[in-house]
Amino acid sequence: SQWLDRWIITKLNNYSGRWSHHINQKRSFIQMDSPMSYHGISSKFSNSISFTGDTFVLQYEVASISKEITCSGGYIKLFGNKNFNQNELSNSTSYAFMFGPDQCGETNKVHFIINHWNPILKKNEEKSLIYNPVANLSSTPKVFTLIVKSNNKIEIRINTKPVFFGSFFSDFYPPINPPHEIDDPEDKQPADWDDREYIIDEEHSQKPD
């Protein structure tokens, strides 16, 4: 039970997935034990993380207990301290970024999504990596590594092999730095502009046979 001193399982009713801790082949790992269930678990860092002037590296290992993957996600989210309640952790909890494999149906990729503040809209927007590496989860453990460099460059590795090189400025959608726009002072709304989204067709009588 000592591992539960560090890791807090969400208490929300719809997150019914059970967790367990194991030590096997010199590995210590936590495991999702409930098929087709939402799982949520979190742990706090002992010190705050700064991305200013340093290279940030996130690395962890993922494996499936089943040889055949039908629908499984093993991604990590990094949260801030603001309004973060570990007992109410859910998919809607605001996060700083999300990284890791997601394999379900036609989806088979490594996510990297950030929540970026839009100074014009005055709100956070999700910015997703445009070209995602293939995840290919299996029962064989895989190490997923995210490297964020101080020059805004990004690198993703799978089992130490680089599978993606990119930049915050060119490889996310919506773009982190949108194209500049020049205001046209001569551009004016027409006098007969109609704000209604739908306009009733008075000549329309009935649905054709």
Side-chain angles (χ1 to χ4, degrees), residues 1 30 33 46 82 107 112 132-133 138 152 163 174 181 193-194:
S1 62
I30 53 176
D33 288 332
S46 56
K82 186 177 180 181
T107 299
F112 182 31
N132 299 86
S138 68
N152 291 304
V163 293
E181 296 181 356
W193 185 272
D194 196 319

Side-chain angles (χ1 to χ4, degrees), residues 27 66 76 105 122 125 134 142 145 154 162 168 176 185 197 209:
R27 284 187 174 93
S66 172
I76 283 179
K122 306 296 183 184
E125 286 185 318
V134 176
K142 281 190 173 181
T145 305
I154 305 156
F168 282 115
I176 292 178
E197 184 176 2
D209 295 337

Side-chain angles (χ1 to χ4, degrees), residues 4-11 40-43 86-87 89:
L4 289 174
D5 294 335
R6 177 182 177 188
W7 293 92
I8 304 298
I9 301 173
T10 182
K11 304 299 191 298
I41 197 169
S42 63
S43 177
Q86 291 181 274
N87 292 319
L89 176 67

Side-chain angles (χ1 to χ4, degrees), residues 35-60:
M36 305 302 292
S37 301
Y38 285 115
H39 290 73
I41 197 169
S42 63
S43 177
K44 289 189 175 183
F45 292 103
S46 56
N47 299 306
S48 59
I49 296 175
S50 173
F51 293 93
T52 305
D54 293 317
T55 295
F56 175 77
V57 179
L58 171 63
Q59 183 180 80
Y60 68 111

